[in-house]
Amino acid sequence: MKIAVLGAGCVGVTTALELQRELPQAQISLLAADFEGITSFVAAGIFRIGTSFAGPSETITRQWIKDSYEYYEELSRSRDASEIGVAGISGYMFSNESPEVVMNDYMEKLVPIYRRATESELQLTGNVWKYGSFVSTLVTQPDIYVPWAISKLKANGAQIKRQKVNSFKEVAADYDAIVNCTGLGAKRLCSDRAMVPIKGQVIKVRAPWLKTFFYGELNTYVVPGVNGLVTLGGQREFDCSDLSICPYQSAAIRDRCDRLVPGLSKAVQVAEKAGLRPHRETGVRVEAERFSDGPGSSTLIVHNYGHGGYGICTAPGTSKYAVTKLKELHSSTAKL
């Protein structure tokens, strides 16, 4: 089989790796218009699944999350974990509004530790919080993980092509199957009106002394990476496609994070970044279909997009599911 994976974000490269693992005889090509300015590189990469994340069913959604955590956990235990960009991390979720803010049914029975914060921990940063949870989880630094994945794909024989795909018809004749991991690009490529951009803006600072993450009411977060850089956030601007850096948002983010973790005031700012989360109002789309590219001819397409702000977290799980869907349809057709 000749298979094209469209999109070089975390979802795309992880899907391509899963295809190589499950179909070692297949010829895999990774196609993308951009390999540098991708949304994945903006994200903090912490494994924290929002309670609004949804697949086609509760059972499937939980399986995606479980598969994803196990994938990253295995990488974090490898000898090359630092080169892959995956590591264990622990930290705190704080709230003064409601105890539900610091609870998470998806996470509580999955990660090694998810417990109520003690009274002394609620005052750990000098602030006094009413509610809190201590969580032990994982962090994946996307600007390390994605290049590592691409290097591994190349080493295993995949072709990496810089190519903008405006329609499936442009590439259908050259491949037996296409896996669509284009994120927001699916709005145009699939005429999917359910796709909505949610703008995020973050600040990257150098604070190698910080090893613990902190969330305050979910809208303010401080997440250390694996190389001394810390992501400060955040912003969620619904239906906004403007990627310019807003100085007022930056000032507000820095102020909120400095108050959440006072020691950050001495951290040196390295960069400001903005990205568009590929949110899908009807839930993440992972399904297979046939695309007719001429009389008597069709190409198998598997969609894997619409992860919103949880693409890095859940890419391994949805990728595994997408490859399963491809194999099921492949085995049921004489053409493939």
Side-chain angles (χ1 to χ4, degrees), residues 117-140:
T118 64
E119 288 299 320
S120 61
E121 287 174 325
L122 291 173
Q123 304 174 47
L124 190 61
T125 63
N127 303 295
V128 180
W129 297 93
K130 292 181 180 178
Y131 315 105
S133 293
F134 175 80
V135 185
S136 178
T137 183
L138 298 164
V139 64
T140 301

Side-chain angles (χ1 to χ4, degrees), residues 85-105:
V86 184
I89 192 171
S90 297
Y92 295 91
M93 317 285 294
F94 291 131
S95 174
N96 284 324
E97 299 301 319
S98 166
E100 282 75 24
V101 172
V102 300
M103 299 168 64
N104 190 311
D105 185 53

Side-chain angles (χ1 to χ4, degrees), residues 10-11 39-41 43-47 68 72 140 142 309-316:
C10 194
V11 175
T39 299
S40 294
F41 290 169
I46 190 167
F47 194 94
S68 296
Y72 287 125
T140 301
Y310 307 106
I312 296 171
C313 295
T314 61

